Amino acid sequence: MDRTLTLLGLESSCDDTAAAVVRGRPGGAGEILSSVVSGQAELHADFGGVVPEIAARAHAERLDLCVERALEEAGLSLADVDAIAVTAGPGLIGGVVSGVMCAKGLAAGAGLPLIGVNHLSGHALTPRLTDGLAYPYLMLLVSGGHCQFLAVEGPDSFRRLGGTIDDAPGEAFDKVAKMLALGYPGGPAVEREAAAGDAARFAFPRPLLDRPDCDFSFSGLKTAVRRARDRIVAEKGGLTVQDRADLCAGFQQAVAEVVAEKTRRACRLFAQAHGPRTLAVAGGVAANAVLRAALTGAAEGEGFGFLAPPLRLCTDNGAMIAWAGLEQLGLRGPDDMALGARPRWPLDAAAAAMLGSGRKGAKA
């Protein structure tokens, strides 16, 4: 398919309801005509994390409004759209169902092709939307729900080089923020506190650095922070402002060092097949300045370029789904109305499932 297409993209896999209109041609950079994101942080703040039922209801209430606004900002109607792309997984199943059903209704009513997109492929292909980055490249997805290295070799070709065996980094940030009463979302709060802290005060572990692979584990680090907190409380009867800042700084530094070292290993593994290329990063945790600096240094030290999309496109959004749908539409054609919602959907189907994520099952 070698013509310019205009796609409407819908995203509702977690706690951001999003719709966007993107125009472009497969193989080149795209143009974002509009991007609307309705966040739900205020709905979940009292719970210290995302409540799936609340998220699903909010998506059902907001999706049509986001679509209407995205079309209005793009100056288009559904008659001007060539296809509708929607996140069909992985994610919180209630939210994914809301998005898929909304997209089906729009596609059926307007007589438009429908394409279901893997949410992770949306993140992985974002550098092509923003910068026209050529295949292949190395991608680090690092967010509240996901953490994995991918060799991106085509619009629908992803090879996993490593990933988390338990908590994703963003999940660990949120949980540390909760145990220190910093509120939700936790990532920005921990980063703010850490700016005034002493990262060397606590000897937190650097998990899995004794293994030669690219896999991550943050559960033990999170537990170490809790134990340090409890020890201070037992000694002093509470935490001072400086105690809290030091805990945040030590935790953030440990995450940054682990991610940097695993990135160096992933770069070397990727280079064995493709030579030094570009490391791209996506996901909400990529907004953390300390982690971004560590990733930049690790990539450049291995002879790789470094690319991070604009922060507004690192977190969940509809533009990345529209673009992934645009690139994939020419490869496999549209889906039919039997398209289903999937809570789990690995990008690399040939890779073995990751182990050790407790109640939540295999992360991959």
Side-chain angles (χ1 to χ4, degrees), residues 133-138 270-271 274-279 302-306:
L133 184 61
Y135 298 117
Y137 55 89
L138 177 63
F270 179 93
H274 303 291
R277 303 281 293 196
T278 297
L279 169 69
E302 297 298 323
F304 277 63
F306 180 78

Side-chain angles (χ1 to χ4, degrees), residues 14-360:
C14 190
D15 63 336
D16 286 323
T17 309
V21 180
V22 167
R23 178 173 291 159
R25 182 183 300 234
E31 178 186 5
I32 300 174
L33 303 183
S34 66
S35 181
V36 175
V37 179
S38 178
Q40 300 179 12
E42 74 285 356
L43 298 179
H44 306 284
D46 290 343
F47 303 96
V50 179
V51 181
E53 177 63 19
I54 293 175
R57 289 178 180 273
H59 287 310
E61 294 170 356
R62 299 179 181 186
L63 273 164
D64 57 342
L65 301 176
C66 289
V67 169
E68 185 177 27
R69 185 176 158 197
L71 290 171
E72 181 181 342
E73 291 185 3
L76 302 175
S77 67
L78 278 176
D80 302 308
V81 172
D82 293 300
I84 297 175
V86 61
T87 295
L92 300 176
I93 190 61
V96 178
V97 168
S98 296
V100 169
M101 296 307 293
C102 180
K104 284 183 178 181
L106 291 170
L112 292 172
L114 172 70
I115 181 163
V117 171
N118 185 310
H119 172 82
L120 302 180
S121 73
H123 281 303
L125 297 177
T126 296
R128 294 191 40 83
L129 165 63
T130 57
D131 295 86
L133 184 61
Y135 298 117
Y137 55 89
L138 177 63
M139 165 60 70
L140 170 60
L141 296 180
V142 55
S143 68
H146 306 283
C147 182
Q148 55 187 299
F149 288 107
L150 297 165
V152 183
E153 298 168 340
D156 206 17
S157 178
F158 308 94
R159 184 165 54 90
R160 195 185 76 220
L161 305 181
T164 182
I165 64 173
D166 44 53
D167 293 345
E171 184 179 1
F173 269 90
D174 285 342
K175 289 179 178 178
V176 166
K178 186 175 182 179
M179 72 176 70
L180 298 177
L182 292 176
Y184 175 84
V190 170
E191 185 177 10
R192 284 193 300 270
E193 290 287 323
D198 176 8
R201 178 178 169 186
F202 299 100
F204 291 140
R206 272 55 172 169
L208 297 192
L209 289 190
D210 57 334
R211 299 186 188 180
D213 55 33
C214 304
D215 292 337
F216 297 95
S217 170
F218 296 104
S219 180
L221 174 58
K222 177 189 64 184
T223 301
V225 175
R226 179 181 291 109
R227 288 175 176 169
R229 179 207 64 181
D230 292 347
R231 187 164 57 249
I232 296 171
V233 171
E235 293 172 355
K236 298 182 178 180
L239 295 177
T240 66
V241 171
Q242 191 61 50
D243 289 333
R244 191 166 63 180
D246 292 346
L247 287 166
C248 288
F251 165 75
Q252 180 177 258
Q253 186 62 32
V255 173
E257 290 182 13
V258 169
V259 170
E261 176 57 30
K262 295 294 185 175
T263 296
R264 285 188 280 269
R265 297 177 188 179
C267 286
R268 294 165 195 160
L269 186 59
F270 179 93
Q272 291 176 9
H274 303 291
R277 303 281 293 196
T278 297
L279 169 69
V281 60
V285 179
N288 182 290
V290 173
L291 265 67
R292 188 176 286 222
L295 288 168
T296 303
E300 292 177 350
E302 297 298 323
F304 277 63
F306 180 78
L307 175 61
L311 294 182
R312 63 187 176 87
L313 296 178
C314 283
T315 52
D316 293 348
N317 62 89
M320 69 179 190
I321 302 303
W323 178 255
L326 188 152
E327 286 228 69
Q328 294 170 9
L329 190 59
L331 290 178
R332 57 182 177 88
D335 293 296
D336 57 28
M337 287 297 163
L339 175 68
R342 302 171 65 171
R344 304 201 182 279
W345 187 0
L347 277 180
D348 184 355
M354 304 293 290
L355 302 177
S357 59
R359 298 179 295 164
K360 297 183 179 180

